[in-house]
Amino acid sequence: LLLNVFVILLAVSKPGQELTVRGVIPYIFQSETMQPEIEYNDLACFQRIDRLQPLHVGDVVLFQSDGTVYVERILSIHGELVTVDIDHYPPLAETGAMRKTVLRKSIYGLYVGRSRWLGVLILFSNTIIGRIVFLLLPAVLLFYRRQILAYLRKRRKV
C-alpha cells in the first residue's frame, strides 16, 4: 500500500514541485542521455540543494529551464552561469546540440544515486496489471493469512 501511495505521488508531481522524501527528489529517468551513469527507466535520486551549496565540474544536476526539467552534467562554472551538457548523444544527433548555459539559481537537485529495479517496479505499478498486482495481492495475503501460514507449517512438518 505504501508503494502505491509513493507511485501515485510520484506520478502527479510536476516540474519544480516534485515529491521530496527527506530532502531527496526521486525522478524516473525516461531517457538514454546520461548513460552509462543513469540508465533508461532508473529511479534517479537527487539531493535538493539551495543556491549556497557548492557545485563542481562533473556533477550531474537537476534543473528547470523554460518549464522543462533537465538532467545534465556540469561542464564549467563561471559565477552565476553554469554550462551543462548530456553524456550520451543518440545516433545521428549532433554532439553538443544539448549544451546550454543556465543560471545557477535554476539548479535545484544534485545527483546522489540510482535504483535500477525500483524504477522498473514503479513503472510496472503504474500499469493496470501492476495496480491489480500491488493492490489485490496484499489484500489476498491479508485475507488468507491464516490459511497460508497453516499450509506452510504443514509443509515444513512433512
Side-chain angles (χ1 to χ4, degrees):
L1 293 176
L2 289 175
L3 177 65
N4 282 305
V5 170
F6 180 71
V7 169
I8 290 168
L9 290 175
L10 196 60
V12 298
S13 62
K14 297 178 177 113
Q17 298 176 333
E18 293 88 358
L19 168 71
T20 302
V21 180
R22 301 192 72 171
V24 175
I25 304 166
Y27 187 82
I28 300 287
F29 204 72
Q30 297 282 287
S31 171
E32 297 175 347
T33 58
M34 293 306 293
Q35 287 182 346
E37 187 153 359
I38 306 172
E39 300 284 335
Y40 190 83
N41 289 341
D42 282 355
L43 177 68
C45 296
F46 295 85
Q47 183 68 45
R48 184 169 288 282
I49 60 172
D50 59 20
R51 293 186 64 191
L52 300 176
Q53 181 155 346
L55 295 175
H56 304 93
V57 171
D59 286 344
V60 176
V61 293
L62 181 69
F63 66 95
Q64 189 173 356
S65 178
D66 298 325
T68 304
V69 173
Y70 294 93
V71 174
E72 297 188 15
R73 186 175 304 278
I74 295 177
L75 299 178
S76 66
I77 302 170
H78 300 287
E80 287 296 308
L81 297 177
V82 180
T83 303
V84 295
D85 198 5
I86 60 175
D87 286 352
H88 176 76
Y89 278 89
L92 304 177
E94 184 179 331
T95 302
M98 290 293 294
R99 180 175 294 177
K100 59 180 70 68
T101 301
V102 297
L103 292 173
R104 168 61 179 94
K105 68 181 178 181
S106 65
I107 297 173
Y108 62 95
L110 181 63
Y111 176 70
V112 292
R114 69 181 178 144
S115 175
R116 181 84 183 129
W117 66 270
L118 194 54
V120 172
L121 186 67
I122 289 170
L123 288 172
F124 171 70
S125 66
N126 270 327
T127 66
I128 292 173
I129 294 171
R131 289 288 166 97
I132 291 170
V133 167
F134 287 113
L135 286 175
L136 193 58
L137 187 61
V140 168
L141 290 174
L142 285 172
F143 188 73
Y144 291 106
R145 180 177 56 93
R146 288 185 182 152
Q147 291 88 341
I148 293 169
L149 289 174
Y151 173 77
L152 292 174
R153 285 186 197 118
K154 185 179 175 183
R155 287 209 60 198
R156 261 192 238 153
K157 289 179 183 178
V158 173

